[in-house]
Amino acid sequence: MFAAGDGSRAFGSRRRRRAAARSAVVGMALALLLGTLAPTVSPAVADAVTHVVPVGDKPGAIAVNAVTNKAYVASAEGVSVINGVTGAGTLYSGDIPVDVAVNSVTNKIYVSEIGGSVAVVDGVTGAVTSVPVGTGPGVVAVNETNNKIYVGVETGVTIIDGATNTTTSVALLRSAQDIVVNPVTGKVYVLSGGTIRVLDTSGTVIDEVIIGAGFVRALAVNEVTNKIYYTTLGRYGAYIYAWDDATDKITGRIESSRKVENLAVNTASNKVYVAADDDYEDGFVRIIDGASFTEITTIGTATPVNEIAVNPVSNKAHAPTSGGGTLVIDGQSDSSYAVYTGSEPVAAAVNTSTNKAYVVSYGTASVRIIDGTVEQPVKNDFNGDGYTDLLARETSGVLWLYSGDGSGGWLTRAQVGQGWNVMTALVAPGDFNGDGNPDVLARDGGGLLWLYPGNGSSGWLPRVQVGTGWAGMNAIESVGDFDGDTFVDVAAQTVSGVLWIYRGNGSGGWLPAIQVGTGWNTMSEMTGVGDFNSDGTPDIAARDSAGVLWLYPGDGSGGWLPQRVIGQGWNVMNSFIGPGDFDGDGRADILARNAAGELWLYAGSGGAAWPTPSRVGTGWGGMTAMV
């Protein structure tokens, strides 16, 4: 037995959220993150949300069997099954489930139930065996090597023999909040009452860790190196520890100025991902080199991180945050970007075989599937090279394509149209008709709205009329997928200042519009700026009469989060737009033109910081529209 009064000797465990994320592959640590403070390189492949699968009400936990390509989601209505990307009904609807885990070797699913049992479900036949485990069952962990299942209960841990379903009880002073298994050594680490109990293969408590004047918050194990990483919080501050289980010694300690919580390990790269937050609304992910136990970088998130899930095969980490966005971190470059995964994401799991991540949205009773093989569409990539471009119309009506080079500069411009001076508004909404290429919407003098479908190679397909009566709109702007249905939308402001979201249907048409604000005629200009704060949802930037630039963050479901100031003195600019990520750092940017015709890039940071300006062009004063 040992204790650590000042954190100099301690042994940790990962605090599992109520809905724990886990992979069916042995030794996969799970957890997820959002946004970067340090300079980054744009990811090679930006994973995209490809499917939204409804599940039971109040979902909480998820487990994935990578062998059968099935995911199991525990909810108040039972356990839902997702077959790859398709909902496959309900596996089991007995007593209210609390947690779910999978043994991919035996194809058995283990569901802890509020009434005091674990339902053992055969993944082939669906046959259910109820195993009493004690009062208050919660977290479930599986050791696929020895076919033992560990269940946290009020009195400690109940161990189920997977072959016979017989049980063994391990008494602890308090209930088990988290259980982490090392399948190589057979040891089990139980977080109980802020301390750690270490069990051997027989279930005997062989060690215990007591943090004097504090408690352990979370634990992760790297079974390849036999290292344990854990976070603590107490009288002497917050710390992240590395423990060598073979030598029974602490090998590293990092003090944190912020509270540290969940953590996860990439067993292939030996990187440790630690979720942290401060007294405000921001969250953070600290990336630590497991070998040297030194910090590599810190990634800022718009809201606190709820969970972390790591895919060691694809070398990516996924971190759902309380605001609804999930941060995807590329482990090779340590760059990151966010995707929207529904309100109140509470759990995540990865399928290492298919390179998909599953994020459970409690607020929408659904699972969003992030496909690591599908690239995020680039909103303004009109020539198909993967970089953000700009369209500009000169006074004569000639339309020019200014191709971006992916790093804040330009390639040779090309003429892509003429006669565009008959249009009174131009909008670049992204892929409006669902063919995979970015499009343009244009309003003519008669108030007709036209869709100019892009062909993906600097040209256009035949235009299509998609609306009438648009002459009464003072401003028409792109806002991305504002309502969270995966289709791009358009914002339009009436003369009286009412702001409407015209919801796209994903195939070049419209769903019913929704009113999202009034009084917007007090703003002298507005534009959609994409996901400017890196929370996974699109935002709008608007300038008031005093030149203050405001960010209105979308909440992902057609509403707003609190607005904040991101700039002053913007009344010197006569035009600004949000083209997307122009400089290739994975963050949405703003391009603005001043009266002298200079074009400035305001590079977004993905967090609360104001954008950083740099001049990227001159002679732009002759352009009458830029999108």
Side-chain angles (χ1 to χ4, degrees):
M1 174 179 180
F2 58 86
D6 62 353
S8 59
R9 283 184 65 80
F11 201 68
S13 173
R14 180 167 72 90
R15 182 186 69 172
R16 187 184 300 271
R17 301 276 176 174
R18 179 182 177 277
R22 59 182 71 87
S23 166
V25 178
V26 173
M28 300 301 176
L30 300 178
L32 293 183
L33 320 158
L34 208 108
T36 306
L37 298 179
T40 60
V41 179
S42 184
V45 176
D47 307 22
V49 174
T50 57
H51 295 81
V52 180
V53 181
V55 294
D57 189 38
K58 300 178 181 177
I62 185 169
V64 170
N65 187 331
V67 176
T68 63
N69 191 25
K70 290 184 178 180
Y72 302 93
V73 184
S75 74
E77 300 178 11
V79 177
S80 301
V81 182
I82 301 174
N83 190 0
V85 296
T86 306
T90 302
L91 171 74
Y92 172 72
S93 57
D95 204 353
I96 298 175
V98 179
D99 198 11
V100 59
V102 171
N103 187 331
S104 64
V105 176
T106 63
N107 197 12
K108 296 284 182 67
I109 301 96
Y110 296 87
V111 184
S112 59
E113 301 178 307
I114 197 170
S117 298
V118 166
V120 183
V121 187
D122 188 300
V124 177
T125 67
V128 179
T129 302
S130 182
V131 179
V133 293
T135 305
V139 61
V140 183
V142 174
N143 186 336
E144 295 188 345
T145 301
N146 61 17
N147 195 18
K148 289 186 177 181
I149 299 88
Y150 300 85
V151 185
V153 294
E154 282 188 3
T155 57
V157 176
T158 297
I159 305 173
I160 301 175
D161 185 314
T164 64
N165 286 335
T166 56
T167 61
T168 303
S169 296
V170 180
L172 301 175
L173 293 177
R174 297 185 181 181
S175 61
Q177 291 84 48
D178 194 14
I179 302 173
V180 178
V181 172
N182 186 333
V184 176
T185 65
K187 289 184 179 180
V188 182
Y189 307 91
V190 183
L191 175 59
S192 175
T195 64
I196 299 300
R197 300 295 188 269
V198 185
L199 312 183
D200 65 10
T201 55
S202 68
T204 303
V205 178
I206 58 174
D207 228 333
E208 58 182 359
V209 182
I210 301 172
I211 306 298
F215 55 93
V216 177
R217 304 197 76 181
L219 165 84
V221 174
N222 187 337
E223 64 265 26
V224 175
T225 62
N226 199 17
K227 291 279 186 71
I228 297 91
Y229 303 96
Y230 57 93
T231 57
T232 67
L233 181 65
R235 179 187 304 169
Y236 301 102
Y239 292 90
I240 309 163
Y241 285 90
W243 178 267
D244 189 319
D245 196 26
T247 62
D248 198 37
K249 291 182 179 179
I250 289 176
T251 56
R253 182 179 79 166
I254 297 175
E255 185 174 7
S256 176
S257 60
R258 305 180 179 97
K259 293 179 292 184
V260 285
E261 301 188 50
N262 294 331
L263 69 166
V265 177
N266 186 328
T267 56
S269 66
N270 198 16
K271 286 184 178 180
V272 185
Y273 298 87
V274 183
D277 59 60
D278 54 24
D279 294 330
Y280 303 98
E281 293 299 318
D282 296 335
F284 304 87
V285 175
R286 302 181 68 172
I287 304 177
I288 297 170
D289 177 19
S292 63
F293 207 62
T294 56
E295 184 170 328
I296 299 171
T297 189
T298 294
I299 296 176
T301 66
T303 53
V305 174
N306 286 344
E307 179 64 281
I308 303 177
V310 172
N311 187 336
V313 176
S314 65
N315 194 14
K316 289 182 180 178
H318 301 80
T321 66
S322 60
T326 289
L327 189 72
V328 181
I329 301 176
D330 187 312
Q332 181 176 0
S333 62
D334 295 322
S335 58
S336 63
Y337 46 91
V339 294
Y340 182 66
T341 47
S343 62
E344 299 180 76
V346 292
V350 298
N351 188 328
T352 55
S353 297
T354 62
N355 195 12
K356 289 182 174 63
Y358 297 79
V359 180
V360 178
S361 168
Y362 181 90
T364 61
S366 65
V367 171
R368 308 281 173 125
I369 301 175
I370 306 172
D371 193 329
T373 66
V374 177
E375 294 191 28
Q376 283 264 58
V378 179
K379 170 181 169 289
N380 271 34
D381 178 22
F382 292 102
N383 62 3
D385 65 356
Y387 303 133
T388 298
D389 307 319
L390 183 67
L391 290 171
R393 180 188 64 192
E394 63 183 34
T395 306
S396 67
V398 173
L399 190 66
W400 294 92
L401 173 63
Y402 288 82
S403 300
D405 65 3
S407 57
W410 306 100
L411 303 176
T412 304
R413 74 172 186 173
Q415 182 178 332
V416 292
Q418 58 186 5
W420 284 73
N421 48 0
V422 301
M423 298 298 178
T424 58
L426 300 180
V427 182
D431 179 18
F432 189 74
N433 63 358
D435 66 355
N437 300 316
D439 309 314
V440 167
L441 290 168
R443 180 187 62 188
D444 65 23
L448 300 180
L449 193 65
W450 296 89
L451 170 65
Y452 287 81
N455 66 4
S457 57
S458 306
W460 311 103
L461 301 176
R463 72 175 187 172
V464 180
Q465 183 181 325
V466 293
T468 60
W470 285 74
M473 298 299 176
N474 261 10
I476 307 172
E477 301 293 340
S478 65
V479 288
D481 176 20
F482 194 77
D483 61 353
D485 65 356
T486 73
F487 306 134
V488 297
D489 309 313
V490 174
Q493 176 204 319
T494 67
V495 176
S496 62
V498 177
L499 189 64
W500 293 86
I501 297 296
Y502 286 82
R503 302 161 57 223
N505 67 4
S507 57
W510 306 100
L511 300 175
I514 55 174
Q515 182 179 326
V516 295
T518 59
W520 282 75
N521 49 358
T522 61
M523 298 294 177
S524 58
E525 188 162 357
M526 71 173 187
T527 188
V529 289
D531 180 19
F532 197 75
N533 62 355
S534 290
D535 65 354
T537 62
D539 311 315
I540 287 180
R543 178 185 63 195
D544 64 24
S545 58
V548 177
L549 191 65
W550 294 85
L551 182 70
Y552 288 82
D555 67 0
S557 57
W560 305 100
L561 301 176
Q563 73 268 30
R564 61 180 175 85
V565 175
I566 57 171
Q568 301 276 2
W570 278 71
N571 45 9
V572 301
M573 299 296 177
N574 56 32
S575 181
F576 58 88
I577 60 171
D581 175 22
F582 187 72
D583 58 2
D585 66 352
R587 300 288 182 263
D589 307 315
I590 297 174
L591 288 170
R593 180 186 65 190
N594 62 21
E598 296 174 326
L599 193 65
W600 289 82
L601 168 66
Y602 286 82
S605 66
W610 289 10
T612 304
S614 60
R615 192 173 67 175
V616 293
T618 59
W620 286 77
M623 298 299 175
T624 58
M626 297 185 298
V627 294

